[in-house]
Amino acid sequence: MSATLHPTLPHPEPVATPAARLALKADGAARGLLDGAWWPRSRDLLSELPALTDVLDPLWGRITRIAVNPKYWPVIPRQVPVDGHIVKVGWFTPEIEPHKLLLLSYRTGRWDLLIIPPETGAESAARLMAAASHHDGPPLTASALIAGGPTGSATGCSRGPCATSNPAD
């Protein structure tokens, strides 16, 4: 009988998770169909949602549930461990727009965020984040913003995953 032993390697230092790319309406701003925008770095909800909830938990109270439309998410985990608690994740096809994220918290209630596709170029993402977090006109849906809406900043995302607007991005 033989056994193969592997030397114990020192544990690498934990890698800091990048902060969520997020733009929210200011406190006291009129609630509309969207409360801001989120620009994830990938389509991996298991790795993206902890950074998002790290930012939102102190602002809105503990996020307990998240719902998405599965159109652009290859895998939707049922639960995501987040800083000492579990966030339940669900999906709804007809009830939630493909570019929208619904969040529920104990303290604040419901929040809706525009999801800017990860493939979107930096300039287009900045315009979309500003439009979702500063818009004071008639309510815009997530799909209307992605398609261009009244700002004329169409990204081409309405027909599928976005192409980067600037190849250098």
Side-chain angles (χ1 to χ4, degrees):
M1 175 186 239
S2 67
T4 304
L5 299 175
H6 297 282
T8 304
L9 299 175
H11 292 317
E13 291 297 318
V15 177
T17 304
R21 298 183 291 187
L22 187 64
L24 302 173
K25 284 190 174 180
D27 287 341
R31 297 281 311 259
L33 297 176
L34 295 170
D35 300 298
W38 175 49
W39 184 25
R41 288 173 172 77
S42 73
R43 294 194 182 276
D44 179 1
L45 286 173
L46 195 58
S47 67
E48 294 290 339
L49 290 177
L52 178 64
T53 58
D54 281 348
V55 173
L56 297 179
D57 278 359
L59 298 173
W60 295 347
R62 180 178 280 187
I63 303 297
T64 57
R65 294 184 182 270
I66 295 174
V68 297
N69 182 307
K71 184 172 183 175
Y72 298 118
W73 300 101
V75 175
I76 299 174
R78 296 184 89 150
Q79 298 179 346
V80 175
V82 175
D83 196 27
H85 70 283
I86 298 291
V87 175
K88 294 182 179 180
V89 182
W91 58 271
F92 300 95
T93 304
E95 294 88 357
I96 298 178
E97 294 179 70
H99 295 286
K100 189 173 180 178
L101 180 79
L102 183 147
L103 302 114
L104 299 173
S105 79
Y106 284 131
R107 187 174 64 187
T108 311
R110 174 182 168 157
W111 295 89
D112 297 280
L113 296 178
L114 169 70
I115 301 171
I116 300 170
E119 305 83 15
T120 304
E123 286 183 27
S124 293
R127 282 192 302 270
L128 288 166
M129 291 177 98
S133 62
H134 294 100
H135 184 71
D136 290 329
L140 292 175
T141 64
S143 296
L145 276 174
I146 292 291
T151 63
S153 59
T155 62
C157 300
S158 61
R159 293 177 298 280
C162 291
T164 304
S165 64
N166 181 350
D169 287 338

